[in-house]
Amino acid sequence: MKNLYIILSAVFIFSCQRKKENSEIITIESDQIQRNKIIHDTITSDQLDKIKIIQKTFQEVYPVTLKETIDNFKRDQNPDNEIAIWLDMSSAYENYLKSQTNNLDLTKKQEVFKLLLSRSMMPSNEAILNSELKILDENEANKVLSFYTESPKPIKVYQK
């Protein structure tokens, strides 16, 4: 679980901007990423409504407060793009859960979330490898990912 929270912190809490398609993609350790300052002092009511959906959807698997979630989006270069990505993840997560005949335990839900988070940044095959799945097998992982149809949007992290 510690690795999950490190990944989530690196992706969600730390400010970043999605990479352009032609940019070089590299992997860095999460401890090398520094949290950005708040870039946007305010958010719109439309953004707030969407952020509430995201926070509520992932509350169980990523327990941060609504205030923290809002602050995290205020640190993004383009909050609307990030909100759209997280809404896509939220929709895929909820649709996968609805497709299950049994209730999933928290550990499996966390793995589903981690997989979707990885998928938002990379192609499905890489997301499966990157997520180091312990509960989901490849068939089940592909089923999860079938609900997320957006193009991968790697994160751009500025190095000093």
Side-chain angles (χ1 to χ4, degrees):
M1 260 316 82
K2 182 179 178 185
N3 289 340
L4 173 63
Y5 290 110
I6 290 170
I7 291 169
L8 296 178
S9 295
V11 173
F12 194 72
I13 295 176
F14 299 107
S15 176
C16 41
Q17 180 181 5
R18 299 287 170 161
K19 278 186 166 284
K20 294 179 183 174
E21 287 182 30
N22 296 332
S23 298
E24 178 186 2
I25 298 175
I26 61 171
T27 302
I28 62 172
E29 296 296 324
S30 60
D31 61 356
Q32 295 177 350
I33 301 172
Q34 295 179 351
R35 190 172 184 183
N36 197 13
K37 64 182 181 195
I38 290 179
I39 298 171
H40 306 278
D41 291 330
T42 60
I43 57 168
T44 67
S45 61
D46 183 53
Q47 288 172 324
L48 179 59
D49 290 342
K50 293 173 182 176
I51 292 169
K52 286 178 179 178
I53 292 168
I54 293 163
Q55 194 269 340
K56 182 179 178 186
T57 300
F58 295 123
Q59 178 63 42
E60 183 180 23
V61 293
Y62 186 59
V64 295
T65 67
L66 179 60
K67 181 183 182 324
E68 290 170 313
T69 306
I70 292 167
D71 284 349
N72 292 334
F73 282 110
K74 286 181 175 181
R75 294 173 195 280
D76 286 314
Q77 292 290 326
N78 188 332
D80 288 324
N81 285 351
E82 291 299 314
I83 289 169
I85 291 164
W86 282 83
L87 282 173
D88 291 337
M89 288 172 45
S90 173
S91 175
Y93 180 82
E94 289 180 331
N95 286 327
Y96 173 74
L97 293 184
K98 287 177 190 172
S99 76
Q100 299 303 292
T101 54
N102 300 328
N103 288 332
L104 304 182
D105 66 20
L106 179 59
T107 306
K108 189 168 185 178
K109 288 179 183 179
Q110 288 169 329
E111 195 162 280
V112 169
F113 172 66
K114 181 180 175 183
L115 179 60
L116 288 168
L117 182 62
S118 291
R119 173 58 185 83
S120 74
M121 298 176 275
M122 60 192 68
S124 294
N125 60 333
E126 291 178 33
I128 291 170
L129 292 173
N130 181 65
S131 298
E132 299 175 358
L133 303 175
K134 293 177 177 54
I135 298 169
L136 299 171
D137 63 24
E138 188 172 350
N139 287 336
E140 196 64 20
N142 282 315
K143 182 175 181 180
V144 170
L145 296 178
S146 72
F147 293 100
Y148 189 89
T149 58
E150 298 301 315
S151 298
K153 295 172 181 71
I155 297 173
K156 185 173 186 179
V157 178
Y158 296 97
Q159 295 178 337
K160 291 184 180 184

